[in-house]
């Protein structure tokens, strides 16, 4: 129907047991911030996790309702959501309610600080990346059994994405400003694009970091939309699966920073940007181009809703990069050494 379903995690079921602080309140109490969310492939289920370690499950048809609130042992920032999204057999209720997914998570939770995870469409492989530049490919039922490594990135991996209609191909992005395509089961890189090379001639910043914050994919046409952190641009590519490469098509310039991007099955492209007056943009494909649409009723309705509820975004407006702390620190020890050496030489000359 035309109604909107609104759910506030503040009103979700709270756990009554746990460690308590000196004031008698739970020491591990979160702020009800949502950390990750995803639909099942069928669209019949929606799941989210928050910083209270809650795993909240919704049924979306025939109408939205919360069907389960469960607790997990760790803060799950993206793992559960990605695995839910990747399950092709629509086992969402089983995965969330029985916590069979924890067996896959346990090893990595103790050993690594994961940045990104993905599950192959056949549920056989789990792909993980942390602050390191490596991507690990493991057996989902035995995640300690590493099948291959995808090596090539020079900085942390910010996004990994298994292409659903070409399940042998993995798309990854990194703080090194590159987007890469892999045959991940054998750890082979087949394509690399440096996003900084797509900079418009009039751009003045030459040291800008192109850290990919969002990747969206449309099976119809094989289009890929990419947003980089703190850069007001959407980059559009098209997958050539036979040649195993991404063909750069165009870029959509934004007046504000892009926050998120998503394709409809029809190819329509939705863009969420940092603007209270125009939070949503809609572009429709026509003759290989994405032309802006302004008279769409759905766009007008959702734009008004976001405008009227802009307070939920205020904490992100003007925020600095969330990725700056992940970059490797570099130290110029040689410059310091040479400076001290020169100082010693000057002192020796004075003594003489």
């Amino acid at each position: 129907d035309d109604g909107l379903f609104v759910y506030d995690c503040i009103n979700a079921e709270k756990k009554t047991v746990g460690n308590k602080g000196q004031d008698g309140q739970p020491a591990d109490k979160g702020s009800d911030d949502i950390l990750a969310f995803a639909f099942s492939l069928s669209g019949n289920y929606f799941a989210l996790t928050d910083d209270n370690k809650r795993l909240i499950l919704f049924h979306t048809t025939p109408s939205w309702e919360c069907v389960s609130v469960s607790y997990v042992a760790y803060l799950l920032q993206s793992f559960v959501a990605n695995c839910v999204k990747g399950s092709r057999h629509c086992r969402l209720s089983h995965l969330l309610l029985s916590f069979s997914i924890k067996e896959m998570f346990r090893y990595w939770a103790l050993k690594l600080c994961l940045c990104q995870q993905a599950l192959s469409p056949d549920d056989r492989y789990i792909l993980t990346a942390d602050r390191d530049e490596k991507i690990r490919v493991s057996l989902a039922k035995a995640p300690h059994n590493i099948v291959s490594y995808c090596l090539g990135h020079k900085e942390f991996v910010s996004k990994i994405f298994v292409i659903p209609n070409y399940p042998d191909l993995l798309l990854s992005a990194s703080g090194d400003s590159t987007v890469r395509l892999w045959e991940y089961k054998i750890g082979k890189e087949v394509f690399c694009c440096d996003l900084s090379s797509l900079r418009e001639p009039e751009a003045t910043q030459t040291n800008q970091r192109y850290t990919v914050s969002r990747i969206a994919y449309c099976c119809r046409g094989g289009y890929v939309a990419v947003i980089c952190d703190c850069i007001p641009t959407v980059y559009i590519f098209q997958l050539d699966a036979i040649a195993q490469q991404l063909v750069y098509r165009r870029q959509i310039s934004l007046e504000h920073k892009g926050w998120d991007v998503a394709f409809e099955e029809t190819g329509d492209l939705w863009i969420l940007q940092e603007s209270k007056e125009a939070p949503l943009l809609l572009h429709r494909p026509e003759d290989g181009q994405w032309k802006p649409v302004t008279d769409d009723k759905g766009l007008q309705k959702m734009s008004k809703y976001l405008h009227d509820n802009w307070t939920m975004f205020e904490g992100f407006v003007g925020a600095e990069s969330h990725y700056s702390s992940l970059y490797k620190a570099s130290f110029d020890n040689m410059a310091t050494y040479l400076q001290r050496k020169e100082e010693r030489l000057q002192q020796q000359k004075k003594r003489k």
Side-chain angles (χ1 to χ4, degrees), residues 37-322:
F37 61 88
F39 283 95
S40 65
L41 290 184
S42 67
N44 293 331
Y45 292 95
F46 179 82
L48 66 84
T49 64
D50 70 359
D51 61 358
N52 277 305
K53 303 179 183 179
R54 287 177 299 201
L55 198 55
I56 304 176
L57 173 65
F58 300 86
H59 198 272
T60 63
T61 55
S63 60
W64 280 70
E65 66 172 323
C66 177
V67 296
S68 174
V69 178
S70 305
Y71 279 80
V72 293
Y74 307 98
L75 283 177
L76 307 180
Q77 299 206 27
S78 63
F79 184 88
V80 169
N82 277 323
C83 287
V84 167
K85 187 183 298 183
S87 178
R88 62 176 180 147
H89 301 300
C90 193
R91 297 197 305 265
L92 178 57
S93 59
H94 168 74
L95 282 169
L96 295 184
L97 297 179
S98 71
F99 298 103
S100 60
I101 202 170
K102 282 177 62 180
E103 294 301 320
M104 295 185 285
F105 184 69
R106 182 179 301 156
Y107 175 81
W108 298 106
L110 297 177
K111 299 296 183 182
L112 300 171
C113 176
L114 296 180
C115 294
Q116 278 292 299
Q117 307 82 35
L119 195 67
S120 63
D122 61 2
D123 299 342
R124 184 179 180 186
Y125 299 99
I126 183 170
L127 299 89
T128 59
D130 55 20
R131 284 192 63 177
D132 205 349
E133 64 272 8
K134 296 186 291 291
I135 301 171
R136 285 163 295 274
V137 182
S138 306
L139 295 178
K141 292 185 178 180
H144 58 279
N145 188 345
I146 298 176
V147 177
S148 66
Y149 283 99
C150 297
L151 305 176
H153 283 298
K154 306 302 182 184
E155 280 286 354
F156 62 91
V157 178
S158 59
K159 290 294 174 183
I160 55 177
F161 177 77
V162 179
I163 299 175
N165 54 337
Y166 296 99
D168 293 331
L169 295 178
L170 170 73
L171 187 62
S172 69
S174 167
D176 62 9
S177 299
T178 65
V179 175
R180 302 177 190 242
L181 199 62
W182 310 81
E183 290 184 9
Y184 64 90
K185 295 177 185 177
I186 58 175
K188 179 183 177 182
E189 179 185 310
V190 295
F191 175 80
C192 176
C193 174
D194 188 341
L195 294 174
S196 63
S197 67
L198 306 178
R199 184 175 59 244
E200 294 288 356
E202 61 271 15
T204 56
Q205 287 187 325
T206 58
N207 59 347
Q208 175 71 57
R209 289 171 170 172
Y210 290 77
T211 308
V212 175
S213 57
R214 293 290 187 273
I215 295 178
Y217 178 75
C218 181
C219 291
R220 182 178 178 178
Y223 291 105
V224 177
V226 171
I227 284 183
C228 294
D229 185 47
C230 297
I231 296 179
T233 304
V234 179
Y235 300 92
I236 305 294
F237 298 87
Q238 189 171 20
L239 174 66
D240 185 339
I242 298 177
Q244 292 187 327
Q245 64 180 358
L246 294 177
V247 181
Y248 171 68
R249 292 305 184 192
R250 65 164 299 187
Q251 53 185 271
I252 301 173
S253 297
L254 309 176
E255 295 183 3
H256 308 274
K257 288 191 294 186
W259 277 344
D260 209 345
V261 63
F263 280 106
E264 287 190 24
E265 292 181 355
T266 59
D268 287 4
L269 179 63
W270 292 83
I271 303 168
L272 177 66
Q273 65 174 356
E274 187 184 81
S275 170
K276 181 178 180 180
E277 301 306 320
L280 276 180
L281 302 175
L282 177 62
H283 284 70
R284 185 159 292 158
E286 293 182 14
D287 301 325
Q289 301 293 320
W290 279 264
K291 297 183 178 180
V293 178
T294 57
D295 57 352
D296 183 84
K297 291 184 179 180
L299 171 66
Q300 295 170 356
K301 173 184 174 182
M302 288 305 304
S303 295
K304 183 179 185 304
Y305 176 77
L306 294 177
H307 177 276
D308 295 343
N309 293 272
W310 190 249
T311 53
M312 65 182 176
F313 292 112
E314 286 179 347
F316 297 97
V317 175
E320 297 181 357
S321 172
H322 299 291

